[in-house]
Coordinates of all heavy atoms in Angstrom, one line a residue:
M1177 N -64.6 20.0 -60.2 CA -63.9 19.4 -59.2 C -62.4 19.2 -59.8 O -62.3 18.8 -61.1 CB -64.5 18.1 -58.8 CG -63.9 17.6 -57.4 SD -64.7 16.2 -57.0 CE -63.4 14.9 -57.3
A1178 N -61.5 19.5 -59.1 CA -60.0 19.3 -59.6 C -59.6 17.9 -59.8 O -60.2 17.0 -59.1 CB -59.1 19.9 -58.6
D1179 N -58.8 17.6 -60.8 CA -58.4 16.2 -61.1 C -57.3 15.9 -60.1 O -57.2 14.7 -59.7 CB -57.8 16.1 -62.5 CG -58.9 16.4 -63.4 OD1 -59.9 15.6 -63.4 OD2 -58.8 17.2 -64.3
F1180 N -56.4 16.9 -59.6 CA -55.3 16.7 -58.8 C -55.1 17.9 -57.9 O -55.5 19.0 -58.2 CB -54.0 16.5 -59.6 CG -54.0 15.4 -60.6 CD1 -54.2 15.6 -61.9 CD2 -53.9 14.0 -60.2 CE1 -54.3 14.6 -62.9 CE2 -53.9 13.0 -61.2 CZ -54.1 13.3 -62.5
Q1181 N -54.4 17.7 -56.8 CA -53.8 18.7 -56.1 C -52.4 18.9 -56.5 O -51.6 17.9 -56.5 CB -53.9 18.4 -54.5 CG -55.4 18.2 -54.1 CD -56.2 19.5 -54.3 OE1 -55.9 20.6 -53.8 NE2 -57.2 19.3 -55.1
L1182 N -52.0 20.2 -56.8 CA -50.6 20.4 -57.3 C -49.5 19.8 -56.4 O -48.6 19.1 -56.8 CB -50.4 21.9 -57.4 CG -49.1 22.2 -58.1 CD1 -48.9 21.6 -59.4 CD2 -49.0 23.8 -58.2
D1183 N -49.8 19.9 -55.0 CA -48.7 19.5 -54.1 C -48.7 17.9 -54.0 O -47.8 17.4 -53.3 CB -48.9 20.1 -52.8 CG -50.2 19.9 -52.1 OD1 -51.0 19.1 -52.6 OD2 -50.5 20.5 -51.0
Q1184 N -49.7 17.3 -54.6 CA -49.6 15.7 -54.6 C -49.0 15.2 -55.8 O -48.8 14.1 -56.0 CB -51.0 15.3 -54.4 CG -51.6 15.5 -53.0 CD -53.0 15.0 -52.9 OE1 -53.7 14.9 -53.7 NE2 -53.4 14.9 -51.6
L1185 N -48.7 16.1 -56.9 CA -48.1 15.6 -58.1 C -46.5 15.8 -57.8 O -46.1 16.9 -57.7 CB -48.5 16.5 -59.3 CG -49.9 16.3 -59.7 CD1 -50.3 17.3 -60.9 CD2 -50.1 14.9 -60.3
K1186 N -45.9 14.7 -58.0 CA -44.5 14.7 -57.8 C -43.8 15.1 -59.1 O -44.3 14.8 -60.3 CB -43.9 13.4 -57.5 CG -44.3 12.9 -56.1 CD -43.3 11.7 -55.6 CE -44.0 11.1 -54.4 NZ -44.2 9.7 -54.5
E1187 N -42.8 15.9 -58.9 CA -42.1 16.5 -60.2 C -41.6 15.4 -61.1 O -40.9 14.3 -60.6 CB -41.1 17.4 -59.8 CG -40.6 18.2 -61.1 CD -39.8 19.5 -60.7 OE1 -39.9 19.9 -59.5 OE2 -39.1 19.9 -61.7
S1188 N -41.9 15.4 -62.4 CA -41.3 14.4 -63.4 C -41.8 13.0 -63.2 O -41.1 12.1 -63.6 CB -39.8 14.6 -63.5 OG -39.4 15.8 -63.7
A1189 N -42.9 12.8 -62.4 CA -43.5 11.6 -62.2 C -44.8 11.4 -62.8 O -45.8 12.0 -62.2 CB -43.6 11.2 -60.7
P1190 N -44.9 10.9 -64.0 CA -46.2 10.9 -64.8 C -47.3 10.2 -64.1 O -47.1 9.2 -63.4 CB -45.8 10.2 -66.1 CG -44.3 10.2 -66.2 CD -43.8 10.2 -64.7
V1191 N -48.4 10.7 -64.3 CA -49.7 10.1 -63.7 C -50.7 9.9 -64.8 O -50.9 10.8 -65.7 CB -50.3 11.0 -62.6 CG1 -51.6 10.4 -62.0 CG2 -49.3 11.3 -61.6
K1192 N -51.4 8.8 -64.8 CA -52.3 8.5 -65.9 C -53.7 9.1 -65.4 O -54.1 8.9 -64.3 CB -52.4 7.0 -66.1 CG -52.8 6.6 -67.4 CD -52.8 5.1 -67.6 CE -51.4 4.5 -67.9 NZ -51.5 3.2 -68.3
L1193 N -54.4 9.6 -66.4 CA -55.8 10.1 -66.2 C -56.7 9.6 -67.3 O -56.4 9.8 -68.5 CB -55.8 11.6 -66.1 CG -57.2 12.3 -65.9 CD1 -57.8 12.0 -64.6 CD2 -57.0 13.9 -66.1
E1194 N -57.8 9.0 -66.9 CA -58.7 8.4 -67.9 C -60.0 9.2 -67.8 O -60.6 9.2 -66.8 CB -58.9 6.9 -67.7 CG -57.6 6.2 -67.9 CD -57.8 4.7 -67.9 OE1 -59.0 4.2 -67.9 OE2 -56.8 4.0 -67.9
R1195 N -60.5 9.6 -68.9 CA -61.7 10.4 -68.9 C -62.2 10.6 -70.3 O -61.5 10.8 -71.3 CB -61.6 11.8 -68.3 CG -63.0 12.4 -68.0 CD -62.9 13.6 -66.9 NE -62.2 14.6 -67.5 CZ -61.4 15.4 -66.9 NH1 -61.1 15.0 -65.6 NH2 -60.8 16.4 -67.4
N1196 N -63.6 10.4 -70.5 CA -64.2 10.6 -71.8 C -63.6 9.7 -72.9 O -63.4 10.2 -74.1 CB -64.0 12.2 -72.2 CG -64.8 13.1 -71.3 OD1 -65.7 12.7 -70.6 ND2 -64.5 14.4 -71.4
G1197 N -63.2 8.5 -72.5 CA -62.7 7.6 -73.4 C -61.2 7.8 -73.8 O -60.7 7.1 -74.7
K1198 N -60.6 8.8 -73.2 CA -59.2 9.1 -73.5 C -58.3 8.7 -72.3 O -58.7 8.8 -71.1 CB -59.1 10.5 -73.8 CG -59.8 10.9 -75.0 CD -59.3 12.3 -75.7 CE -60.1 12.5 -76.9 NZ -59.4 13.3 -77.8
T1199 N -57.1 8.3 -72.6 CA -56.1 8.1 -71.5 C -55.0 9.1 -71.7 O -54.4 9.2 -72.8 CB -55.6 6.7 -71.6 OG1 -56.7 5.8 -71.6 CG2 -54.6 6.4 -70.4
V1200 N -54.8 9.9 -70.7 CA -53.9 11.1 -70.8 C -52.9 10.9 -69.8 O -53.1 10.4 -68.7 CB -54.7 12.4 -70.7 CG1 -53.8 13.6 -70.6 CG2 -55.7 12.6 -71.8
C1201 N -51.7 11.3 -70.2 CA -50.5 11.3 -69.2 C -50.2 12.7 -68.7 O -50.1 13.7 -69.4 CB -49.3 10.8 -70.1 SG -47.7 10.7 -69.1
V1202 N -50.3 12.9 -67.4 CA -50.1 14.2 -66.8 C -48.8 14.3 -66.0 O -48.4 13.4 -65.3 CB -51.3 14.3 -65.8 CG1 -51.2 15.7 -65.1 CG2 -52.6 14.2 -66.5
V1203 N -48.1 15.3 -66.3 CA -46.7 15.5 -65.7 C -46.5 16.8 -65.2 O -46.8 17.8 -65.9 CB -45.6 15.2 -66.9 CG1 -44.3 15.3 -66.3 CG2 -45.9 13.9 -67.6
R1204 N -46.0 16.8 -64.0 CA -45.6 18.1 -63.4 C -44.2 18.4 -63.7 O -43.3 17.5 -63.5 CB -45.9 18.1 -61.9 CG -45.3 19.3 -61.2 CD -45.7 19.3 -59.7 NE -45.1 20.6 -59.1 CZ -45.3 20.9 -57.9 NH1 -46.0 20.2 -57.1 NH2 -44.9 22.1 -57.4
V1205 N -43.9 19.6 -64.2 CA -42.5 20.1 -64.3 C -42.4 21.5 -63.6 O -43.0 22.4 -64.0 CB -42.1 20.2 -65.8 CG1 -40.7 20.7 -66.0 CG2 -42.3 18.9 -66.6
K1206 N -41.6 21.4 -62.5 CA -41.6 22.6 -61.6 C -43.0 22.9 -61.3 O -43.7 22.1 -60.7 CB -40.8 23.7 -62.3 CG -39.2 23.3 -62.5 CD -38.5 24.6 -62.8 CE -37.0 24.2 -62.9 NZ -36.5 23.0 -63.3
D1207 N -43.4 24.1 -61.5 CA -44.8 24.6 -61.1 C -45.8 24.5 -62.3 O -46.9 25.1 -62.2 CB -44.7 25.9 -60.4 CG -44.2 25.8 -59.1 OD1 -44.4 24.8 -58.4 OD2 -43.6 26.8 -58.6
E1208 N -45.4 23.8 -63.4 CA -46.3 23.8 -64.5 C -46.7 22.3 -64.5 O -46.0 21.3 -64.2 CB -45.6 24.1 -65.8 CG -45.3 25.6 -65.9 CD -44.7 26.0 -67.2 OE1 -43.4 25.8 -67.4 OE2 -45.4 26.3 -68.2
V1209 N -47.9 22.0 -65.1 CA -48.4 20.7 -65.3 C -48.8 20.6 -66.8 O -49.5 21.5 -67.4 CB -49.6 20.4 -64.4 CG1 -50.2 19.0 -64.7 CG2 -49.1 20.6 -63.0
F1210 N -48.4 19.5 -67.5 CA -48.7 19.2 -68.9 C -49.5 17.9 -68.9 O -49.4 17.1 -68.2 CB -47.4 19.1 -69.6 CG -46.6 20.3 -69.5 CD1 -45.5 20.5 -68.6 CD2 -46.7 21.5 -70.3 CE1 -44.8 21.6 -68.4 CE2 -46.1 22.6 -70.2 CZ -45.1 22.7 -69.3
A1211 N -50.3 17.8 -70.1 CA -51.1 16.7 -70.3 C -51.0 16.3 -71.7 O -51.2 17.2 -72.6 CB -52.6 16.9 -69.9
I1212 N -50.7 15.1 -72.0 CA -50.5 14.6 -73.4 C -51.0 13.3 -73.5 O -51.2 12.4 -72.5 CB -48.9 14.6 -73.6 CG1 -48.5 14.2 -75.1 CG2 -48.2 13.5 -72.7 CD1 -47.0 14.5 -75.3
D1213 N -51.5 12.9 -74.8 CA -52.1 11.5 -74.9 C -51.1 10.6 -74.4 O -49.9 10.6 -74.7 CB -52.2 11.3 -76.5 CG -53.6 11.8 -77.0 OD1 -54.5 11.8 -76.2 OD2 -53.8 12.0 -78.2
D1214 N -51.6 9.5 -73.7 CA -50.7 8.5 -73.1 C -50.1 7.5 -74.1 O -49.2 6.9 -73.8 CB -51.5 7.9 -72.0 CG -50.6 6.9 -71.2 OD1 -49.5 7.4 -70.7 OD2 -50.8 5.7 -71.1
T1215 N -50.9 7.3 -75.2 CA -50.4 6.2 -76.1 C -49.4 6.8 -77.1 O -49.7 7.7 -77.8 CB -51.5 5.5 -76.8 OG1 -52.4 5.0 -75.8 CG2 -51.1 4.3 -77.7
C1216 N -48.2 6.2 -77.1 CA -47.1 6.6 -78.1 C -47.7 6.6 -79.5 O -48.5 5.7 -79.9 CB -45.9 5.8 -77.9 SG -44.6 6.2 -79.0
S1217 N -47.4 7.5 -80.3 CA -47.8 7.6 -81.8 C -47.1 6.5 -82.6 O -47.4 6.4 -83.8 CB -47.7 9.0 -82.3 OG -46.3 9.4 -82.3
H1218 N -46.0 5.9 -82.1 CA -45.3 4.9 -82.8 C -45.9 3.5 -82.7 O -46.1 2.8 -83.7 CB -43.9 4.8 -82.3 CG -43.0 3.8 -83.0 ND1 -42.5 2.7 -82.3 CD2 -42.7 3.5 -84.4 CE1 -41.8 1.9 -83.2 NE2 -42.0 2.4 -84.4
S1219 N -46.3 3.2 -81.5 CA -46.9 1.8 -81.3 C -47.7 1.9 -80.0 O -47.8 3.0 -79.4 CB -45.9 0.7 -81.3 OG -46.6 -0.6 -81.4
D1220 N -48.1 0.8 -79.5 CA -49.0 0.8 -78.4 C -48.3 0.7 -77.0 O -48.1 -0.4 -76.4 CB -50.0 -0.4 -78.5 CG -51.1 -0.3 -77.4 OD1 -51.3 0.8 -76.9 OD2 -51.7 -1.4 -77.2
A1221 N -47.7 1.8 -76.6 CA -47.0 1.9 -75.4 C -47.4 3.1 -74.6 O -47.8 4.1 -75.1 CB -45.5 1.9 -75.5
S1222 N -47.5 3.0 -73.2 CA -48.0 4.0 -72.3 C -46.8 5.0 -72.0 O -45.9 4.5 -71.4 CB -48.5 3.3 -71.0 OG -48.7 4.4 -70.1
L1223 N -47.0 6.2 -72.3 CA -46.0 7.2 -72.2 C -45.7 7.4 -70.6 O -44.7 7.8 -70.2 CB -46.3 8.5 -72.8 CG -46.0 8.6 -74.3 CD1 -46.2 10.0 -74.8 CD2 -44.7 8.1 -74.7
C1224 N -46.8 7.2 -69.8 CA -46.7 7.4 -68.4 C -45.7 6.5 -67.7 O -45.2 6.7 -66.7 CB -48.0 7.1 -67.7 SG -48.9 8.6 -67.4
E1225 N -45.2 5.4 -68.5 CA -44.2 4.5 -68.0 C -42.8 5.0 -68.4 O -41.8 4.3 -68.1 CB -44.5 3.1 -68.3 CG -45.7 2.5 -67.8 CD -46.2 1.2 -68.4 OE1 -45.4 0.4 -68.7 OE2 -47.5 1.0 -68.4
G1226 N -42.8 6.1 -69.1 CA -41.5 6.6 -69.6 C -40.8 7.5 -68.7 O -41.3 7.8 -67.6
E1227 N -39.7 8.0 -69.1 CA -38.9 8.9 -68.2 C -39.0 10.4 -68.7 O -39.0 10.6 -69.9 CB -37.5 8.5 -68.4 CG -36.7 8.9 -67.2 CD -35.4 8.2 -67.1 OE1 -35.4 6.9 -66.9 OE2 -34.2 8.8 -67.2
V1228 N -39.1 11.3 -67.8 CA -39.3 12.7 -68.0 C -38.0 13.4 -67.8 O -37.3 13.2 -66.7 CB -40.3 13.3 -67.2 CG1 -40.4 14.9 -67.3 CG2 -41.7 12.7 -67.4
T1229 N -37.5 14.2 -68.8 CA -36.3 15.0 -68.7 C -36.6 16.4 -69.1 O -37.1 16.6 -70.3 CB -35.2 14.5 -69.6 OG1 -34.9 13.1 -69.2 CG2 -33.8 15.2 -69.2
D1230 N -36.5 17.4 -68.3 CA -37.0 18.7 -68.7 C -38.5 18.7 -69.1 O -39.3 18.3 -68.4 CB -36.0 19.4 -69.6 CG -34.5 19.5 -69.1 OD1 -34.4 19.7 -67.9 OD2 -33.6 19.4 -69.9
F1231 N -38.6 19.1 -70.4 CA -40.0 19.2 -70.9 C -40.2 18.1 -71.8 O -41.1 18.1 -72.7 CB -40.2 20.5 -71.6 CG -40.2 21.7 -70.6 CD1 -39.2 22.5 -70.6 CD2 -41.4 22.0 -69.9 CE1 -39.1 23.5 -69.6 CE2 -41.4 23.0 -69.0 CZ -40.3 23.8 -68.8
K1232 N -39.4 17.0 -71.8 CA -39.5 15.9 -72.7 C -39.9 14.6 -71.9 O -39.5 14.4 -70.8 CB -38.2 15.6 -73.4 CG -37.8 16.6 -74.2 CD -36.5 16.3 -75.0 CE -35.3 16.2 -74.1 NZ -34.0 16.1 -74.7
I1233 N -40.7 13.8 -72.6 CA -41.0 12.4 -72.1 C -40.5 11.4 -73.1 O -40.8 11.7 -74.3 CB -42.5 12.3 -71.8 CG1 -42.7 11.0 -71.0 CG2 -43.4 12.2 -72.9 CD1 -44.0 10.9 -70.2
E1234 N -39.8 10.4 -72.6 CA -39.3 9.4 -73.5 C -40.1 8.1 -73.4 O -40.4 7.6 -72.3 CB -37.9 9.1 -73.1 CG -37.2 8.0 -74.0 CD -35.8 7.8 -73.6 OE1 -35.2 8.6 -72.9 OE2 -35.2 6.7 -74.1
C1235 N -40.5 7.6 -74.5 CA -41.2 6.3 -74.6 C -40.3 5.2 -74.1 O -39.2 5.1 -74.7 CB -41.9 6.1 -76.0 SG -42.7 4.5 -76.1
W1236 N -40.8 4.4 -73.3 CA -40.0 3.3 -72.7 C -39.7 2.2 -73.7 O -38.7 1.5 -73.6 CB -40.6 2.7 -71.4 CG -41.9 2.1 -71.7 CD1 -43.1 2.8 -71.6 CD2 -42.2 0.8 -72.1 NE1 -44.2 1.9 -72.0 CE2 -43.6 0.6 -72.2 CE3 -41.3 -0.3 -72.3 CZ2 -44.2 -0.6 -72.5 CZ3 -42.0 -1.6 -72.6 CH2 -43.4 -1.6 -72.8
L1237 N -40.6 2.1 -74.7 CA -40.5 0.9 -75.6 C -39.4 1.0 -76.6 O -38.5 0.2 -76.7 CB -41.9 0.7 -76.3 CG -42.1 -0.6 -77.0 CD1 -41.6 -1.8 -76.0 CD2 -43.4 -0.8 -77.4
H1238 N -39.3 2.1 -77.4 CA -38.3 2.2 -78.4 C -37.6 3.6 -78.4 O -36.8 3.9 -79.2 CB -38.8 2.2 -79.8 CG -39.7 0.9 -80.1 ND1 -41.1 0.9 -80.2 CD2 -39.3 -0.4 -80.1 CE1 -41.6 -0.3 -80.4 NE2 -40.5 -1.1 -80.2
G1239 N -37.8 4.4 -77.3 CA -37.0 5.5 -77.0 C -37.4 6.9 -77.7 O -36.7 7.8 -77.6
A1240 N -38.5 7.0 -78.4 CA -39.0 8.1 -78.9 C -39.2 9.2 -77.9 O -39.8 8.8 -76.8 CB -40.2 7.9 -79.8
E1241 N -38.9 10.4 -78.2 CA -39.1 11.5 -77.2 C -40.2 12.5 -77.8 O -40.2 12.8 -79.0 CB -37.9 12.3 -77.0 CG -36.8 11.5 -76.2 CD -35.5 12.3 -76.1 OE1 -35.1 13.0 -76.9 OE2 -34.9 12.2 -75.0
F1242 N -41.0 13.0 -76.8 CA -42.0 14.0 -77.2 C -41.9 15.2 -76.3 O -41.6 15.1 -75.1 CB -43.4 13.3 -76.9 CG -43.8 12.1 -77.8 CD1 -43.3 10.8 -77.4 CD2 -44.4 12.3 -79.1 CE1 -43.6 9.8 -78.3 CE2 -44.6 11.3 -79.9 CZ -44.2 9.9 -79.5
D1243 N -42.3 16.3 -76.9 CA -42.3 17.6 -76.1 C -43.6 17.7 -75.4 O -44.6 17.6 -76.0 CB -42.2 18.8 -77.1 CG -41.9 20.0 -76.4 OD1 -42.6 20.3 -75.3 OD2 -41.1 20.8 -76.8
L1244 N -43.5 17.8 -74.0 CA -44.7 17.8 -73.2 C -45.5 19.0 -73.5 O -46.7 19.0 -73.3 CB -44.4 17.7 -71.7 CG -43.8 16.3 -71.2 CD1 -43.1 16.6 -69.9 CD2 -44.9 15.4 -71.1
R1245 N -44.9 20.1 -74.0 CA -45.6 21.3 -74.1 C -46.4 21.4 -75.4 O -47.5 22.0 -75.5 CB -44.5 22.5 -74.1 CG -43.8 22.6 -72.8 CD -42.6 23.4 -73.0 NE -41.6 22.9 -73.9 CZ -40.4 23.4 -74.0 NH1 -40.0 24.4 -73.3 NH2 -39.5 22.7 -74.8
T1246 N -46.0 20.7 -76.4 CA -46.6 20.8 -77.7 C -47.1 19.5 -78.3 O -47.9 19.4 -79.2 CB -45.6 21.3 -78.7 OG1 -44.5 20.4 -78.9 CG2 -45.0 22.7 -78.4
G1247 N -46.6 18.3 -77.7 CA -46.9 17.1 -78.2 C -46.0 16.6 -79.4 O -46.2 15.5 -79.9
Q1248 N -45.1 17.5 -79.9 CA -44.4 17.2 -80.9 C -43.4 16.0 -80.8 O -42.9 15.9 -79.7 CB -43.5 18.4 -81.3 CG -42.7 18.3 -82.7 CD -41.8 19.6 -82.9 OE1 -41.8 20.5 -82.1 NE2 -40.9 19.4 -83.9
A1249 N -43.4 15.1 -81.8 CA -42.4 14.0 -81.8 C -41.0 14.5 -82.1 O -40.8 15.1 -83.1 CB -42.8 12.9 -82.8
L1250 N -40.0 14.4 -81.1 CA -38.7 15.0 -81.3 C -37.7 14.1 -81.8 O -36.7 14.5 -82.4 CB -38.2 15.5 -79.9 CG -39.1 16.6 -79.2 CD1 -38.7 16.8 -77.7 CD2 -39.1 17.8 -80.0
T1251 N -37.9 12.8 -81.6 CA -37.0 11.8 -82.1 C -37.6 10.5 -82.7 O -38.7 10.2 -82.1 CB -36.0 11.3 -81.0 OG1 -36.7 10.8 -79.9 CG2 -35.2 12.5 -80.5
L1252 N -37.0 10.0 -83.7 CA -37.6 8.7 -84.2 C -37.4 7.6 -83.1 O -36.7 7.7 -82.1 CB -36.6 8.3 -85.4 CG -36.8 9.3 -86.6 CD1 -35.7 8.9 -87.6 CD2 -38.2 9.2 -87.1
P1253 N -38.2 6.5 -83.2 CA -39.0 6.1 -84.3 C -40.4 6.8 -84.5 O -41.1 6.5 -85.4 CB -39.2 4.6 -84.2 CG -39.1 4.4 -82.7 CD -38.1 5.5 -82.2
A1254 N -40.8 7.7 -83.4 CA -42.1 8.3 -83.6 C -41.9 9.6 -84.5 O -40.9 10.3 -84.4 CB -42.6 8.8 -82.2
N1255 N -42.8 9.8 -85.4 CA -42.8 11.0 -86.2 C -44.1 11.7 -86.3 O -44.3 12.6 -87.1 CB -42.2 10.8 -87.6 CG -43.0 9.7 -88.3 OD1 -44.0 9.3 -87.9 ND2 -42.3 9.2 -89.5
I1256 N -45.1 11.3 -85.5 CA -46.4 11.8 -85.5 C -46.6 12.5 -84.1 O -46.4 11.9 -83.1 CB -47.5 10.8 -85.8 CG1 -47.3 10.3 -87.2 CG2 -48.9 11.4 -85.7 CD1 -48.1 9.0 -87.4
A1257 N -47.1 13.7 -84.1 CA -47.3 14.5 -82.9 C -48.4 13.9 -82.1 O -49.4 13.3 -82.7 CB -47.5 15.9 -83.2
L1258 N -48.4 14.1 -80.8 CA -49.5 13.6 -79.9 C -50.3 14.8 -79.5 O -49.8 15.9 -79.4 CB -49.0 12.9 -78.7 CG -48.3 11.6 -78.9 CD1 -47.6 11.2 -77.6 CD2 -49.2 10.5 -79.4
Q1259 N -51.5 14.6 -79.2 CA -52.5 15.7 -78.8 C -52.1 16.1 -77.4 O -51.7 15.2 -76.5 CB -53.9 15.2 -78.8 CG -54.8 16.3 -78.5 CD -56.3 16.0 -78.8 OE1 -56.6 15.0 -79.3 NE2 -57.2 17.0 -78.3
T1260 N -52.1 17.4 -77.1 CA -51.9 17.9 -75.8 C -53.2 18.5 -75.3 O -54.0 18.8 -76.0 CB -50.8 18.9 -75.6 OG1 -51.0 20.0 -76.5 CG2 -49.5 18.3 -75.9
Y1261 N -53.3 18.7 -74.0 CA -54.6 19.2 -73.4 C -54.3 20.4 -72.5 O -53.2 20.3 -71.8 CB -55.3 18.0 -72.5 CG -55.6 16.9 -73.5 CD1 -54.6 15.9 -73.7 CD2 -56.8 16.8 -74.1 CE1 -54.8 14.8 -74.5 CE2 -57.1 15.7 -75.0 CZ -56.1 14.7 -75.2 OH -56.4 13.6 -76.0
Q1262 N -55.2 21.3 -72.4 CA -55.0 22.5 -71.5 C -55.2 22.0 -70.1 O -55.9 21.2 -69.7 CB -56.0 23.5 -71.9 CG -55.7 24.8 -71.1 CD -56.7 25.9 -71.5 OE1 -57.2 25.9 -72.6 NE2 -56.9 26.8 -70.6
V1263 N -54.2 22.6 -69.3 CA -54.3 22.3 -67.8 C -54.5 23.6 -67.1 O -53.7 24.6 -67.3 CB -53.0 21.6 -67.4 CG1 -53.0 21.4 -65.9 CG2 -52.7 20.3 -68.2
D1264 N -55.5 23.7 -66.2 CA -55.8 24.9 -65.5 C -55.3 24.6 -64.0 O -55.6 23.6 -63.4 CB -57.2 25.2 -65.4 CG -57.7 25.6 -66.9 OD1 -57.0 26.3 -67.6 OD2 -58.8 25.2 -67.3
I1265 N -54.5 25.6 -63.6 CA -54.1 25.5 -62.2 C -54.6 26.8 -61.4 O -54.3 27.9 -61.8 CB -52.4 25.5 -62.1 CG1 -51.9 24.3 -62.9 CG2 -52.1 25.4 -60.6 CD1 -50.4 24.3 -62.9
Q1266 N -55.4 26.4 -60.4 CA -55.9 27.5 -59.6 C -55.4 27.2 -58.2 O -55.9 26.3 -57.5 CB -57.4 27.4 -59.5 CG -58.1 27.7 -60.9 CD -58.1 29.1 -61.3 OE1 -57.9 30.1 -60.6 NE2 -58.3 29.2 -62.6
E1267 N -54.5 28.0 -57.7 CA -53.8 27.8 -56.4 C -53.2 26.3 -56.4 O -52.4 26.0 -57.2 CB -54.8 28.1 -55.3 CG -55.2 29.6 -55.3 CD -55.9 30.0 -54.2 OE1 -56.1 29.2 -53.2 OE2 -56.3 31.2 -54.1
N1268 N -53.9 25.4 -55.6 CA -53.4 24.1 -55.6 C -54.2 23.2 -56.4 O -53.9 21.9 -56.4 CB -53.4 23.7 -54.0 CG -52.5 22.4 -53.9 OD1 -51.4 22.3 -54.5 ND2 -53.0 21.5 -53.0
S1269 N -55.2 23.5 -57.1 CA -56.1 22.7 -57.8 C -55.7 22.6 -59.2 O -55.5 23.6 -59.9 CB -57.6 23.2 -57.8 OG -58.0 23.2 -56.4
V1270 N -55.6 21.4 -59.8 CA -55.1 21.1 -61.1 C -56.3 20.4 -61.9 O -56.8 19.4 -61.5 CB -53.9 20.3 -61.2 CG1 -53.4 20.0 -62.6 CG2 -52.7 20.8 -60.4
T1271 N -56.7 21.0 -63.0 CA -57.8 20.4 -63.7 C -57.3 20.3 -65.2 O -56.8 21.3 -65.9 CB -59.0 21.4 -63.7 OG1 -59.4 21.6 -62.4 CG2 -60.2 20.8 -64.4
V1272 N -57.5 19.1 -65.8 CA -57.1 18.9 -67.2 C -58.4 19.0 -68.0 O -59.4 18.3 -67.7 CB -56.5 17.5 -67.3 CG1 -56.0 17.3 -68.7 CG2 -55.4 17.3 -66.3
E1273 N -58.3 19.8 -69.1 CA -59.5 19.9 -70.0 C -59.3 18.8 -71.0 O -58.6 18.9 -72.0 CB -59.4 21.3 -70.7 CG -59.2 22.4 -69.8 CD -60.6 22.7 -69.0 OE1 -61.7 22.3 -69.4 OE2 -60.5 23.4 -67.9
I1274 N -60.2 17.8 -70.9 CA -60.2 16.7 -71.7 C -61.5 16.6 -72.5 O -62.6 16.6 -71.9 CB -59.9 15.3 -71.1 CG1 -58.6 15.3 -70.4 CG2 -60.0 14.2 -72.2 CD1 -58.3 14.1 -69.6
Ligands
FES629 S1 -44.0 2.5 -79.0 FE1 -43.0 4.4 -78.4 S2 -41.2 4.6 -79.6 FE2 -42.0 2.8 -80.1

């Protein structure tokens, strides 16, 4: 069963998904969808509450940016990458592999 319908995901508006003991932040950018660990690698903040610009999400607490495609930490104070998850899109159905 799909986790989301693509047309219900608003662009650059992160959505939280909890499954298998993990909390993941799911973000649509144009017709692609990315999934990244929700907890910032710098401290205990939810990335889903941050702002998305292009393929980056910015942590609201201290401003670190992460690449949604790779999980790479792009700016301090975070310097540890986050895990990303594969997202399958079949027509309008979006499934996150957690
Ligand atoms: S908690 Fe995210 S940058 Fe500090």
Side-chain angles (χ1 to χ4, degrees):
M1177 201 176 103
D1179 294 307
F1180 303 99
Q1181 299 300 302
L1182 185 62
D1183 59 9
Q1184 291 175 340
L1185 288 174
K1186 289 196 194 123
E1187 193 163 343
S1188 302
V1191 178
K1192 210 178 273 191
L1193 177 65
E1194 294 185 9
R1195 191 160 69 221
N1196 296 337
K1198 299 200 176 206
T1199 306
V1200 173
C1201 178
V1202 179
V1203 184
R1204 176 177 179 174
V1205 179
K1206 297 193 172 33
D1207 285 333
E1208 292 183 275
V1209 178
F1210 301 94
I1212 188 169
D1213 270 339
D1214 184 55
T1215 304
C1216 182
S1217 61
H1218 177 239
S1219 191
D1220 190 17
S1222 168
L1223 285 187
C1224 260
E1225 294 168 36
E1227 201 162 297
V1228 175
T1229 310
D1230 298 326
F1231 293 100
K1232 293 183 291 191
I1233 190 162
E1234 180 179 345
C1235 178
W1236 61 273
L1237 193 52
H1238 308 112
E1241 293 179 319
F1242 295 88
D1243 190 318
L1244 289 165
R1245 300 165 292 190
T1246 63
Q1248 187 183 353
L1250 300 171
T1251 57
L1252 294 172
N1255 56 13
I1256 298 170
L1258 293 172
Q1259 185 170 353
T1260 56
Y1261 301 86
Q1262 187 176 333
V1263 178
D1264 295 324
I1265 303 176
Q1266 301 283 340
E1267 298 186 3
N1268 197 35
S1269 298
V1270 179
T1271 306
V1272 184
E1273 307 287 340
I1274 301 175

